[in-house]
Amino acid sequence: MTTQWESLANEHILGIAPYEPGKPVEELERELGIHDAIKLASNENPLAPSDRVQQAILAAVPNLNRYPDGSGYYLRQALAKKHDVSPDQVVLGNGSNELIELIVRSFLRPGDEAVVPHPSFVVYPMIVQAAGGIRVMVMLKDHRLDLEAMARAITPMTKIVFIANPNNPTATIVTKDEVAHFMSRLPERTIVVFDEAYIQFALGPDFPETLEYVTQGRKVVVLRTFSKAASLAGLRIGYGVADADCIALMNRIRQPFNVNSLGQVAALAALEDESHTLECVRMIEAGRHYLYDEFNALGVKYVPSRANFILVDVGRSASDIYQRLLKEGVIVRPMTPFGMESALRITVGTPQENRRLVKALRAVLGKSSA
Ligand SMILES: *Cc1c(COP(=O)(O)O)cnc(C)c1O
């Protein structure tokens, strides 16, 4: 008998379910024979990168025969200046997803525990499991991270705690006061990862300034990304801010050219172009309110959002509604894999896309348009 590939695999990965990305627009259009499908499934920015960013990318194209700057010198300088830290406190990643992996691989030993909220970003437990760590899942409370319960879940074996703020898929935040209380109870040796992918949509006086914990020398890593508000999901670029010693350890295992050159110049140009971010934050905010009103009219319950997506409860089988929305050319995300049988996660789109979603939802839910 021949050897099965699975018997050769690292045993830690065998229990991991493959990540299911949102259905690509092109695939749905091919299936339906249509040309105007919309994707509201992956929390992407519906706006193209700004002209300035596109120009910067085009200007860098002739140099693509060269490897990128492996240290990301200029981008790290700019990010350090923006956040008032030193460049050796900044690490770039192929998306912030790569940084989650670098943190886990740098610090989590097999048998160490990681405290992970649930439901939250599926990448955290996946990477912890692959590293042979133990996932300690802590349920949300009223769709919000339960920092009290997460603090109680910490043991002497806890190496890392993940805090997605805002959380995906619920779009709720934990507040400045809640985080301060949590940090005051946290053992000194426990690393907290604040994943702030959606921070631009969430800002307000109640939102925590987690970079202050880095400055205070706490064991904190703050993750940010250019994938959402900056419209650069396709170029895969994110960054982490932490103590220089922490960053140095992550750099030991980071692939030398992990961030491509177009991503670096695009992110640099995006940093100098705050108006694009402001424009899309305003558009998303208006879109959230439009959708709340329409959901109310349709009798669809939702969780008020501090991000560019909304968790809704359609009151019946979400996978059925998902399938029927697909037939209308609208891709959303069913939350069935999280055990939320009647929930969909819907990314806020352009005003036009939002109207299209509402029309499709009204048709699918069998409501008249009166
Ligand atoms: C979208 C998202 C990210 C961003 O990932 P990138 O790899 O930077 O594209 C990170 N964390 C959460 C919770 C997200 O939803």
Side-chain angles (χ1 to χ4, degrees), residues 198-354:
Y198 302 96
I199 184 170
Q200 293 91 342
F201 304 106
L203 288 174
D206 58 346
F207 197 84
E209 290 177 34
T210 51
L211 287 168
E212 286 179 358
Y213 295 109
V214 173
T215 310
Q216 288 163 15
R218 300 293 305 265
K219 300 283 186 296
V220 161
V221 185
V222 178
L223 298 183
R224 301 276 179 91
T225 181
F226 288 90
S227 293
K228 308 285 158 60
S231 299
L232 290 174
L235 278 180
R236 313 301 306 120
I237 179 149
Y239 63 99
V241 182
D243 187 83
D245 290 346
C246 168
I247 300 292
L249 288 162
M250 289 167 69
N251 273 328
R252 292 191 192 196
I253 54 167
R254 182 178 63 81
Q255 293 285 329
F257 303 118
N258 63 327
V259 176
N260 70 79
S261 44
L262 299 186
Q264 292 187 32
V265 297
L268 199 53
L271 280 180
E272 292 162 1
D273 196 358
E274 293 283 322
S275 63
H276 173 82
T277 302
L278 275 177
E279 182 191 338
C280 63
V281 167
R282 282 203 202 100
M283 183 188 74
I284 296 302
E285 206 166 278
R288 286 193 303 227
H289 287 283
Y290 165 76
L291 289 174
Y292 294 162
D293 288 346
E294 296 292 338
F295 292 155
N296 285 334
L298 286 169
V300 166
K301 290 200 212 94
Y302 59 87
V303 180
S305 163
R306 293 287 291 265
N308 66 340
F309 56 93
I310 307 175
L311 186 71
V312 303
D313 184 344
V314 289
R316 57 184 100 171
S317 163
S319 55
D320 180 47
I321 299 295
Y322 163 71
Q323 290 295 341
R324 294 213 253 162
L325 284 173
L326 282 184
K327 297 204 180 82
E328 303 283 329
V330 177
I331 311 171
V332 298
R333 193 77 162 219
M335 291 290 103
T336 354
F338 286 109
M340 301 161 95
E341 299 298 331
S342 60
L344 297 172
R345 191 193 67 193
I346 302 178
T347 307
V348 180
T350 60
Q352 192 186 358
E353 289 173 330
N354 296 337

Side-chain angles (χ1 to χ4, degrees), residues 94-97 121 124 164 168 195 197-198 225 227-228 236-238:
N94 192 256
S96 49
N97 272 275
F121 201 37
Y124 314 139
N168 176 4
D195 181 352
Y198 302 96
T225 181
S227 293
K228 308 285 158 60
R236 313 301 306 120
I237 179 149

Side-chain angles (χ1 to χ4, degrees), residues 53-75:
V53 169
Q54 294 194 29
Q55 291 304 322
I57 293 169
L58 288 174
V61 167
N63 298 321
L64 284 179
N65 53 316
R66 305 290 176 193
Y67 280 108
D69 170 5
S71 79
Y73 180 83
Y74 293 106
L75 182 55

